[in-house]
Amino acid sequence: MMRFVIMADGKESRWKKHLGISKHLAEIGGEPLIVRTIRLVRRQTPKDTEVIVTSHNKNYEFEGSLRYEPKNNVYEIDRFTEELLTNNMCFLYGDTYYTEAAMKKIISVDNEKTLFFGTRKSIVAIKISEVSEFRYHKDRVRQMYISGLIDTCKGWQVYQSFVGQDLTAAPVIKENFVLLEDDTTDINTPEDYDRLV
């Protein structure tokens, strides 16, 4: 059974309560962004698929998913909730607009290794086959950030660690990355949202 974890416990500092709501609840075609993601996962997976939304916001109880409050959310990299890590899982971003084609690709691609999905500017999903390998790279990036060796600690640095790149340089997309060449995009700012709608 595959576990999907939709990360929605960020601080939303760049969103600034645009529209008076959380960015995860911003509507696309009359449907909240995070509800769309849950629907797309549910539509393309078996009924027993586990879908978890990580959030301390008690309003983030959505049909088709369970809400989980992470025990640790200090750094951005902590959104990859340690206590939910398992083999055969996929992290999705609560502030990402996924096309149906992109979600189908994320779900259907068989992976013997951890795979990162995204565009040239953002990672939108991480599909983990073997959890110990992912945990090693996540923990390595976190420790490097705490030690002051790198300036940021998020998905791109985990990807760079996986493929052996210098974490202080700009990431270069190569192996272990599935490029999504469609309208899938993250929504961090009001401008991102306005461009999409």
Side-chain angles (χ1 to χ4, degrees):
M1 179 176 69
M2 177 71 79
R3 170 182 289 175
F4 288 84
V5 175
I6 303 171
M7 301 177 288
D9 205 33
K11 296 175 179 53
E12 300 189 45
S13 55
R14 290 175 286 177
W15 180 251
K16 298 177 182 162
K17 286 293 184 189
H18 182 57
L19 306 174
I21 57 173
S22 165
K23 63 183 172 180
H24 310 108
L25 302 178
E27 292 190 356
I28 308 291
E31 182 178 42
L33 195 60
I34 197 165
V35 172
R36 175 187 171 83
T37 301
I38 294 165
R39 178 178 58 79
L40 291 176
V41 171
R42 284 281 171 219
R43 179 186 288 173
Q44 300 181 37
T45 58
K47 285 187 187 265
D48 64 347
T49 298
E50 205 174 8
V51 179
I52 301 169
V53 173
T54 55
S55 177
H56 280 81
N57 186 336
K58 294 189 184 343
N59 295 321
Y60 276 39
E61 305 277 353
F62 304 107
E63 187 177 337
S65 68
L66 298 172
R67 183 179 66 87
Y68 179 83
E69 295 187 6
K71 293 177 181 169
N72 180 31
N73 188 9
V74 177
Y75 306 112
E76 189 165 346
I77 201 162
D78 295 332
R79 312 259 164 72
F80 301 117
T81 308
E82 176 64 31
E83 61 271 23
L84 295 178
L85 287 175
T86 186
N87 292 337
N88 302 315
M89 71 171 298
C90 183
F91 280 107
L92 299 170
Y93 291 76
D95 61 357
T96 295
Y97 170 80
Y98 296 94
T99 64
E100 293 199 31
M103 189 63 74
K104 184 174 184 181
K105 184 176 259 190
I106 291 165
I107 290 169
S108 66
V109 169
D110 287 330
N111 58 311
E112 293 178 8
K113 301 181 187 180
T114 292
L115 291 178
F116 296 75
F117 295 78
T119 65
R120 297 197 185 279
K121 79 170 206 169
S122 61
I123 292 172
V124 300
I126 303 174
K127 197 169 182 182
I128 299 166
S129 59
E130 209 289 300
V131 71
S132 62
E133 182 183 34
F134 179 81
R135 182 177 281 122
Y136 167 80
H137 291 287
K138 176 188 71 73
D139 291 348
R140 175 176 181 248
V141 168
R142 189 179 197 278
Q143 192 53 51
M144 288 178 73
Y145 179 74
I146 291 169
S147 301
L149 299 173
I150 55 176
D151 295 332
T152 57
C153 63
K154 48 190 174 183
W156 277 117
Q157 285 70 41
V158 177
Y159 173 72
Q160 287 177 288
S161 182
F162 257 91
V163 296
Q165 293 179 15
D166 177 359
L167 275 65
T168 62
V172 177
I173 295 172
K174 47 185 197 176
E175 69 268 16
N176 291 59
F177 199 99
V178 177
L179 201 56
L180 301 173
E181 303 279 5
D182 64 8
D183 294 329
T184 293
T185 184
D186 56 347
I187 298 173
N188 288 311
T189 66
E191 293 77 24
D192 293 337
Y193 177 73
D194 292 342
R195 270 194 299 274
L196 183 61
V197 297

